[in-house]
Amino acid sequence: DADIQALSLANVGVLHRSSQIGEALSLLDNLSDLYPQNKKAWSLMGYDMAKLGRYNESLEAYEEVLELDPKDAQAWSTKARQLVEMKRYDEAQEAFDKAIELMPGDDLKELEQIVQIWLDKGDALNETGNGDEAGKAFQKALEISDEALLNDSEQTSFILLKGNALFKLGRYDEARKAYDQAIKIASPNSFHVPNAWIGKGKALLALGRNEEALEAFRQALEINPTLVEAWKGKGDSQKALGRARDASLSFHVAEKLG
């Protein structure tokens, strides 16, 4: 039985790599029927359902994960994000808090996840008009990032997270400087680089430096022309510069990329 389950999950991985989400879901559905105790199958099913925008079914799958393992912090954080997508913000807050409580943060990867949870929690609080509590969540994300950077000032992931926290706190020029630092120290092929250019573009746009913002988004797209956020930012910059036709084209590309 264990071999069958492992083989099935391996086949799901192959289908994922070839973007055959429907086929993967069909296989996962059969697997979860045959082996309802397989937490990985339910988790992957929840992930795939979310990718297809089927948030109710995704949520049900993560509920199954948590039924099997109520202390799965990753499942709690993913459940919280699904609830945000469904605009069920109060329930999302409870799930975010549970994820933070259960995630020990013993290694840098977990610490990164905790920072991201605080940022997502803040975004959800903003959606309910609770700006003060949102600010506290963003401040917490900033503090954890700064603490991590005290041990190693060149951890690009935490510099990016710090930039994101500063941006959400409205400290746009400080955010821009953080993104510049990430661009400077990250290895050229790192996926962090285009994300840093996007962050820098958003910060420059917020500062009213629209031409520089446009160039930042162009830099991101030069590295990866399929980045939706970069196309949206490019469109926002062009719109701010009064270039409505160019902006319309950029927004159209962003929509097509989805």
Side-chain angles (χ1 to χ4, degrees):
D1 277 3
D3 288 344
I4 293 171
Q5 292 177 69
L7 180 61
S8 296
L9 290 172
N11 288 334
V12 168
V14 171
L15 291 167
H16 279 165
R17 285 191 289 277
S18 56
S19 299
Q20 298 180 64
I21 304 299
E23 290 84 349
L25 264 175
S26 179
L27 190 52
L28 287 166
D29 199 30
N30 289 334
L31 185 59
S32 61
D33 278 345
L34 289 169
Y35 306 100
Q37 301 301 309
N38 191 311
K39 189 173 83 162
K40 183 72 171 174
W42 287 112
S43 183
L44 288 170
M45 193 183 300
Y47 177 80
D48 285 350
M49 292 289 192
K51 282 195 82 171
L52 296 173
R54 293 159 62 179
Y55 296 117
N56 280 316
E57 292 164 280
S58 173
L59 190 60
E60 287 171 10
Y62 283 111
E63 293 286 9
E64 293 288 347
V65 173
L66 290 167
E67 187 75 27
L68 292 167
D69 182 4
K71 293 186 177 181
D72 187 329
Q74 195 68 54
W76 279 109
S77 67
T78 309
K79 176 184 176 179
R81 293 182 181 108
Q82 302 306 334
L83 288 164
V84 168
E85 291 290 344
M86 299 163 76
K87 303 190 187 307
R88 290 162 60 178
Y89 299 116
D90 289 341
E91 293 169 83
Q93 289 303 326
E94 292 176 15
F96 280 132
D97 288 342
K98 196 71 178 173
I100 291 166
E101 175 194 325
L102 291 168
M103 198 169 286
D106 291 335
D107 58 53
L108 289 176
K109 203 69 190 169
E110 278 188 352
L111 212 53
E112 280 180 44
Q113 291 178 39
I114 290 169
V115 174
Q116 190 58 58
I117 291 168
W118 278 110
L119 291 172
D120 292 341
K121 177 179 170 68
D123 286 338
L125 285 163
N126 266 337
E127 290 292 339
T128 61
N130 199 338
D132 288 345
E133 289 301 313
K136 290 176 185 175
F138 298 143
Q139 186 62 39
K140 186 68 177 176
L142 179 60
E143 288 168 7
I144 298 170
S145 299
D146 275 335
E147 284 172 22
L149 290 166
L150 282 175
N151 298 321
D152 181 356
S153 62
E154 296 198 349
Q155 293 179 90
T156 315
S157 56
F158 282 101
I159 297 170
L160 267 178
L161 289 166
K162 176 179 179 174
N164 294 345
L166 287 165
F167 181 86
K168 291 174 188 295
L169 286 164
R171 295 160 61 177
Y172 302 124
D173 201 48
E174 291 173 85
R176 177 193 61 79
K177 289 174 183 174
Y179 295 129
D180 270 338
Q181 186 186 2
I183 292 163
K184 183 179 177 181
I185 68 172
S187 61
N189 297 324
S190 168
F191 68 92
H192 291 310
V193 177
N195 289 335
W197 278 113
I198 290 171
K200 180 178 179 178
K202 289 179 177 179
L204 288 165
L205 200 56
L207 290 164
R209 293 161 62 176
N210 303 321
E211 198 70 61
E212 293 172 82
L214 179 58
E215 179 56 29
F217 292 120
R218 280 177 178 153
Q219 290 286 347
L221 290 167
E222 196 171 306
I223 298 166
N224 183 350
T226 67
L227 293 168
V228 175
E229 282 299 304
W231 280 106
K232 286 179 182 176
K234 184 178 180 182
D236 287 333
S237 303
Q238 290 164 328
K239 186 178 178 181
L241 289 163
R243 293 160 55 179
R245 183 175 293 181
D246 290 342
S248 179
L249 179 59
S250 295
F251 291 138
H252 177 71
V253 175
E255 188 180 349
K256 285 290 183 187
L257 289 170

